[in-house]
C-alpha cells in the first residue's frame, strides 16, 4: 500500500473544506470568497494559509514569466491548494500537476465548492524530478501542406513546450517558451508585439498581439483558451490581412492534448 503523504495535515485541511462549505455552500461565493473563508478555517486549526503565492516559471533554464497558486497550507509541511467553484475537470487536474512540478511541493489538493457537497482530489507530486519528452508526433496534415519543410520541426517544438510546461498557464508563457524552443532548434522567426490598426488607410490605434512569424511566411499564434472559437479564428485572419501573410496557425496549449487550428485568407 502506498504511503499517504502528510496524513495529519491533509485530514485537517479537508476538515476545513467541509466546515467552510457547510456554513457557506448556499451563498454562491466567488473563488476569492472561498479563499477568505478557507483561510479562517485553516487558521483555527493552526495552519498558515498563504494566498495567491507567486512563483517564477522557467522553461529549459530560461525564465518565461510568473504564475500564482491559489493557496499553500503550511504547518510543518506544505500542501498546494487549487480552489474551484465549478465542477472539477481533467484540465484542472493537469493544471495542478504542472504547478506541483514547477513548485516542487509534494502534495496538492484540488477542491470544488460549487456543488451540494465538497468535491476534492488529492494529487501527489509524482513528476517533479523528471520531465517527459514530447516524442516525435505527426503534425496535422494541413500544417504539412502549409510548411512541408518545417512542419515536423515546428510540431515537435510545440509538443516539447506543451509537455515541458503542461496546461494551466497563460498565453504569454507559452509564447515565450515557444521562442526559447525555436531558438534552440535554430528555426528563424520574428516576434510581433503590436500592430497598427488602420481604418480607410489611416492609423487608428496600436494593438498588442501575441504573434510569431516563422520563416517569414507563417503566422503562429500560441494561445491557452478553452475553445478556439470561430470568432478567434476570424480575429487572427484579420491579422493575416494586416501583415500581408496568407496562412497561419493557432496552437492551443490549454488542454491535455495539443490543438492546432489553421487560419488562412
Amino acid at each position: 500500500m502506498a504511503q499517504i503523504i502528510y496524513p495529519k495535515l491533509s485530514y485537517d485541511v479537508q476538515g476545513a473544506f467541509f466546515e467552510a462549505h457547510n456554513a457557506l455552500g448556499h451563498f454562491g461565493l466567488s473563488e476569492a470568497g472561498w479563499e477568505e473563508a478557507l483561510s479562517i478555517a485553516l487558521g483555527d486549526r493552526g495552519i498558515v494559509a498563504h494566498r495567491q503565492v507567486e512563483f517564477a516559471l522557467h522553461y529549459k533554464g530560461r525564465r518565461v514569466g510568473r504564475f500564482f497558486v491559489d493557496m499553500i497550507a503550511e504547518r510543518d509541511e506544505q500542501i498546494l491548494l487549487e480552489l474551484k467553484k465549478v465542477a472539477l475537470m481533467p484540465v484542472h487536474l493537469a493544471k495542478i500537476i504542472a504547478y506541483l512540478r514547477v513548485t516542487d511541493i509534494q502534495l496538492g489538493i484540488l477542491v470544488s465548492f460549487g456543488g451540494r457537497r465538497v468535491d476534492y482530489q488529492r494529487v501527489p507530486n509524482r513528476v517533479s524530478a523528471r520531465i517527459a519528452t514530447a516524442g516525435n508526433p505527426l503534425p496535422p496534415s494541413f500544417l504539412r501542406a502549409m510548411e512541408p519543410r518545417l512542419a515536423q520541426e515546428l510540431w515537435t517544438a510545440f509538443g516539447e513546450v506543451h509537455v515541458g510546461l503542461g496546461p494551466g498557464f497563460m498565453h504569454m508563457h507559452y509564447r515565450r517558451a515557444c521562442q526559447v524552443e525555436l531558438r534552440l532548434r535554430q528555426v528563424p522567426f520574428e516576434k510581433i508585439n503590436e500592430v497598427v490598426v488602420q481604418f480607410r488607410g489611416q492609423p487608428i490605434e496600436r494593438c498588442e498581439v501575441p504573434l510569431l512569424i516563422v520563416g517569414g511566411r507563417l503566422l503562429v499564434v500560441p494561445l491557452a483558451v478553452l475553445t478556439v472559437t470561430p470568432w478567434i479564428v476570424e480575429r487572427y485572419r484579420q491579422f493575416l490581412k494586416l501583415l500581408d501573410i496568407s496562412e497561419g496557425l493557432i496552437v492551443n496549449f490549454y488542454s491535455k492534448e495539443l490543438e492546432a487550428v489553421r487560419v488562412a485568407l
Side-chain angles (χ1 to χ4, degrees):
M1 178 180 291
Q3 183 178 4
I4 297 176
I5 302 174
Y6 309 150
K8 182 62 170 70
L9 179 58
S10 298
Y11 179 84
D12 288 345
V13 167
Q14 290 157 197
F17 294 163
F18 288 109
E19 180 187 0
H21 189 268
N22 289 342
L24 303 169
H26 296 287
F27 294 103
L29 298 181
S30 66
E31 289 182 4
W34 285 116
E35 278 187 23
E36 186 68 34
L38 187 57
S39 296
I40 295 170
L42 291 172
D44 289 345
R45 290 163 170 79
I47 301 169
V48 178
H50 306 282
R51 298 171 58 181
Q52 295 301 316
V53 184
E54 178 181 342
F55 288 91
L57 181 62
H58 292 83
Y59 178 77
K60 294 191 174 180
R62 282 81 165 179
R63 179 172 172 138
V64 294
R66 60 178 182 163
F67 67 99
F68 296 85
V69 302
D70 289 342
M71 188 176 290
I72 294 176
E74 182 174 16
R75 191 186 61 198
D76 298 327
E77 301 99 0
Q78 292 184 329
I79 298 177
L80 188 153
L81 306 178
E82 277 293 304
L83 283 55
K84 303 297 174 187
K85 67 170 193 173
V86 296
L88 299 182
M89 300 170 58
V91 70
H92 298 147
L93 176 60
K95 179 177 179 178
I96 197 170
I97 289 173
Y99 284 5
L100 289 171
R101 182 174 66 198
V102 172
T103 62
D104 201 30
I105 294 174
Q106 295 307 299
L107 178 64
I109 301 180
L110 183 61
V111 57
S112 170
F113 294 101
R116 295 180 61 184
R117 296 182 177 87
V118 174
D119 184 17
Y120 67 91
Q121 183 174 354
R122 289 169 48 87
V123 185
N125 187 348
R126 307 292 191 198
V127 294
S128 63
R130 61 180 177 85
I131 295 180
T133 58
N136 192 31
L138 186 66
S141 58
F142 70 81
L143 180 57
R144 297 199 301 273
M146 291 162 61
E147 280 290 339
R149 290 180 298 174
L150 281 177
Q152 187 64 63
E153 190 74 30
L154 288 176
W155 193 243
T156 303
F158 300 147
E160 191 80 9
V161 169
H162 188 243
V163 171
L165 290 186
F169 298 107
M170 299 175 66
H171 307 315
M172 62 181 181
H173 299 136
Y174 297 109
R175 182 195 185 202
R176 292 168 184 166
C178 284
Q179 293 174 53
V180 171
E181 192 64 40
L182 292 175
R183 288 192 188 102
L184 290 173
R185 294 171 180 270
Q186 298 183 332
V187 175
F189 71 92
E190 178 187 358
K191 179 176 65 173
I192 305 295
N193 290 320
E194 62 179 22
V195 297
V196 179
V197 177
Q198 299 186 9
F199 179 65
R200 296 181 181 175
Q202 300 298 315
I204 300 299
E205 187 172 78
R206 292 185 178 273
C207 179
E208 293 185 1
V209 288
L211 306 178
L212 303 174
I213 299 177
V214 176
R217 60 187 180 276
L218 179 68
L219 184 71
V220 174
V221 187
L223 293 182
V225 294
L226 180 61
T227 304
V228 179
T229 63
W231 186 90
I232 291 175
V233 175
E234 179 59 26
R235 167 181 166 82
Y236 290 105
R237 198 173 74 85
Q238 295 301 317
F239 284 116
L240 288 178
K241 293 180 181 179
L242 196 59
L243 296 168
D244 195 25
I245 298 175
S246 61
E247 293 182 307
L249 175 70
I250 296 171
V251 187
N252 188 15
F253 293 89
Y254 180 85
S255 299
K256 293 176 68 176
E257 298 294 329
L258 187 64
E259 178 186 14
V261 177
R262 180 174 182 256
V263 184
L265 293 179

